[in-house]
Amino acid sequence: MADHLNRFLVLTVLLGLFLRFCHGGVTSTFVRKVEKTIDMPLDADVFKVPSGYNAPQQVHITQGNMDGSAVIVSWVTQDEPGSNTVLYGTSEDNFEFHAKGKLTQYTYYNYTSGFIHHCTLRNLKFSTKYYYKVGIGNTTRHFWFTTPPEVGPDVPYTFGLIGDLGQSFDSNSTLSHYESNPIRGETVLFVGDLSYADNYPNHDNVRWDTWGRFVERSVAYQPWIWTTGNHEIDFAPEIGETQPFKPFRHRYTVPYKASGSTAPFWYSIKRASAHIIVLSSYSAYAKYTPQYKWLEAEFPKVNRSETPWLIVLMHSPWYNSYNYHYMEGETMRVMYEPWFVQNKVDIVFAGHVHAYERSHRISNVAYNIVNGECTPVDDRSAPVYVNIGDGGNLEGLAANMTYPQPKYSAYREASFGHAVFSIKNRTHAYYEWHRNQDGDAVVADAMWFYNRYWSSADDSITIFS
């Protein structure tokens, strides 16, 4: 088995070198049927309100502390506050534990939210399936989740990757494709832009409710790790709404305090063998700002002997060869890219551009405006940048690319899809991207990753084209 893997790795290296130096990257030749992206109607089956009086809806979970031994359970009750209690246990027949949560509610222009509950389940056992129920006293609904393995350097773990999802028919295709993937993730890393409610008149917050019901089929059973995008800002002074991120902040709680952050838009967690840093492209990040000071203090805390894989999530990409949102992330790149290289970040996932792209390992830290050194260069200490803002929202695909394809761009394609990042051990991880038009097990782009801390090998390789 080891010999087969070694031969496969050698072949992929040779293929990658050929593609990289002879062609400078791959622009996919895949041709999809051109169709307008349309939001699903309010009476779509995926938006259906659960039956029963005051039934909990929009149930979702996320990690609740630094190491994954806690889970935050959130849900909405529409008719009345109802119970804040979550009952849970390791058997469907015995909910031996309980936890009491907190309640919040908000108004946005002419909309008033339902009663939003957040409850943290603590001191959970690792690698354990828990059953939980919410809606105690009225209509009770049952769900389950599995906790991650205890943090450790050689713990295998698989993450799903979704971004810019929205609630169109294409969005439904993306989520369905992810759910039917034979190796779908155990946790979703979501790179921002959730509901796209702000695309409706007066930022119609009913579309936050429909989105919450739409994704419940996944996020009630496995954690989604949240990143904020521009469609979460919801800053609308023309209708009297001057508090940025108001709907998101009320609806989606994250464990930001566990990593010493002062706001829920930038934070970190450990999960299995990964240290995950979440950044906010739409919060202040210049020198001396809270986000800057937090990130400066965060990198020294990363222990690559404990969590060898260092992953960063953000919304606005730093490297992008489409004619959409081009260079919008440049000022953040100038601020933080040297830290990414110094600390050997393995991979950066971003969204915002509604298409797919993967880079080689490159950096541009030498550029200082006057020296003219403005071309990204190969850098084995730099991360691979993956733009996966291809979830399927109503704004449609970003199909207009720059030509010629930049040398830093390894693979790009204007299709909707999702990705999976499978950590095997401290040295190897396998990444693959799936377009919606293919069968469940078909891989459109893939790459073997060699961990930057534990290996200096060149892994900027395209396996499929």
Side-chain angles (χ1 to χ4, degrees):
M1 184 68 173
D3 290 340
H4 288 298
L5 177 60
N6 289 335
R7 283 197 294 270
F8 176 71
L9 292 175
V10 169
L11 288 173
T12 56
V13 167
L14 293 175
L15 176 60
L17 291 174
F18 173 78
L19 290 168
R20 185 173 182 181
F21 295 109
C22 296
H23 296 285
V26 174
T27 296
S28 173
T29 58
F30 179 83
V31 178
R32 69 215 49 80
K33 183 180 179 181
V34 178
E35 296 177 319
K36 184 178 180 181
T37 306
I38 302 172
D39 267 355
M40 293 177 284
L42 291 174
D43 61 355
D45 289 346
V46 296
F47 298 153
K48 186 178 179 180
V49 177
S51 60
Y53 176 74
N54 210 37
Q57 58 172 277
Q58 306 173 52
V59 180
H60 57 272
I61 64 173
T62 193
Q63 185 156 317
N65 65 351
M66 178 56 75
D67 67 2
S69 62
V71 166
I72 301 172
V73 181
S74 303
W75 71 98
V76 175
T77 51
Q78 195 63 45
D79 303 305
E80 61 176 87
S83 171
N84 284 333
T85 298
V86 176
L87 301 181
Y88 62 103
T90 56
S91 168
E92 290 183 275
D93 302 318
N94 184 15
F95 293 84
E96 55 187 317
F97 308 112
H98 72 276
K100 190 173 180 61
K102 296 181 180 180
L103 183 68
T104 185
Q105 193 176 29
Y106 73 95
T107 59
Y108 190 97
Y109 187 54
N110 60 357
Y111 167 90
T112 300
S113 74
F115 302 94
I116 304 169
H117 305 256
H118 300 291
C119 182
T120 303
L121 316 185
R122 297 181 171 86
N123 300 315
L124 303 175
K125 296 179 181 178
F126 292 107
S127 300
T128 302
K129 186 172 185 177
Y130 283 90
Y131 300 87
Y132 71 98
K133 55 185 179 180
V134 292
I136 313 305
N138 291 131
T139 301
T140 303
R141 299 185 66 205
H142 298 238
F143 304 90
W144 56 263
F145 61 83
T146 301
T147 53
E150 188 172 2
V151 171
D154 289 303
V155 178
Y157 201 76
T158 302
F159 294 99
L161 275 303
I162 299 175
D164 299 69
L165 186 58
Q167 47 195 300
S168 70
F169 289 99
D170 290 295
S171 311
N172 193 35
S173 176
T174 298
L175 189 54
S176 297
H177 203 201
Y178 169 70
E179 291 173 309
S180 59
N181 188 329
I183 57 166
R184 66 183 178 277
E186 301 162 84
T187 291
V188 169
L189 304 179
F190 191 87
V191 295
D193 281 2
L194 285 68
S195 72
Y196 285 78
D198 63 338
N199 277 2
Y200 284 82
N202 301 319
H203 297 227
D204 186 1
N205 274 226
V206 168
R207 280 293 179 172
W208 275 103
D209 294 317
T210 54
W211 193 83
R213 294 195 292 271
F214 162 51
V215 297
E216 182 188 86
R217 70 197 204 216
S218 173
V219 72
Y221 299 93
Q222 64 173 223
W224 285 30
I225 307 305
W226 303 109
T227 308
T228 51
N230 55 298
H231 286 278
E232 279 71 72
I233 299 174
D234 280 305
F235 178 75
E238 69 278 8
I239 57 174
E241 293 296 341
T242 58
Q243 180 187 343
F245 303 104
K246 184 197 277 188
F248 175 86
R249 192 164 192 166
H250 279 83
R251 292 172 180 270
Y252 293 93
T253 299
V254 299
Y256 68 95
K257 293 180 181 178
S259 59
S261 172
T262 55
F265 316 121
W266 59 88
Y267 62 99
S268 72
I269 59 170
K270 300 174 187 178
R271 197 164 186 88
S273 49
H275 191 115
I276 300 163
I277 292 175
V278 179
L279 297 179
S280 176
S281 300
Y282 303 97
S283 301
Y285 49 76
K287 200 166 186 177
Y288 307 125
T289 61
Q291 184 169 200
Y292 178 98
K293 293 172 70 175
W294 174 83
L295 185 59
E296 184 179 34
E298 178 65 16
F299 275 122
K301 297 177 184 178
V302 179
N303 181 355
R304 303 298 281 274
S305 295
E306 177 191 50
T307 49
W309 293 94
L310 183 52
I311 301 170
V312 176
L313 311 180
M314 62 179 67
H315 186 65
S316 185
W318 291 357
Y319 291 96
N320 162 35
S321 67
Y322 291 80
N323 291 314
Y324 298 85
H325 307 302
Y326 186 66
M327 293 187 75
E328 284 185 20
E330 182 66 3
T331 53
M332 183 182 250
R333 183 197 67 77
V334 170
M335 295 299 302
Y336 295 158
E337 188 179 26
W339 289 350
F340 282 28
V341 175
Q342 292 163 15
N343 290 280
K344 297 186 175 180
V345 171
D346 290 292
I347 186 167
V348 176
F349 292 108
H352 202 34
V353 178
H354 299 164
Y356 173 74
E357 185 166 23
R358 174 176 57 83
S359 79
H360 294 296
R361 291 197 182 278
I362 41 87
S363 69
N364 198 11
V365 295
Y367 181 43
N368 64 9
I369 297 181
V370 297
N371 63 12
E373 297 178 9
C374 57
T375 302
V377 298
D378 290 340
D379 191 337
R380 292 190 185 183
S381 295
V384 168
Y385 293 89
V386 174
N387 297 344
I388 192 158
D390 56 356
N393 64 81
L394 81 166
E395 293 180 350
L397 284 168
N400 190 348
M401 304 173 184
T402 61
Y403 288 94
Q405 183 174 2
K407 291 183 178 180
Y408 65 74
S409 176
Y411 185 95
R412 62 184 185 176
E413 178 176 323
S415 290
F416 293 131
H418 74 276
V420 176
F421 187 72
S422 299
I423 296 171
K424 307 301 182 182
N425 51 42
R426 76 180 66 193
T427 58
H428 287 77
Y430 185 66
Y431 166 82
E432 56 187 42
W433 174 70
H434 298 254
R435 68 171 74 89
N436 286 354
Q437 286 82 0
D438 293 332
D440 297 338
V442 176
V443 178
D445 179 44
M447 172 179 170
W448 274 102
F449 276 75
Y450 304 145
N451 184 271
R452 291 301 85 193
Y453 181 84
W454 291 98
S455 173
S456 59
D458 185 1
D459 62 357
S460 250
I461 298 162
T462 299
I463 296 176
F464 300 98
S465 63

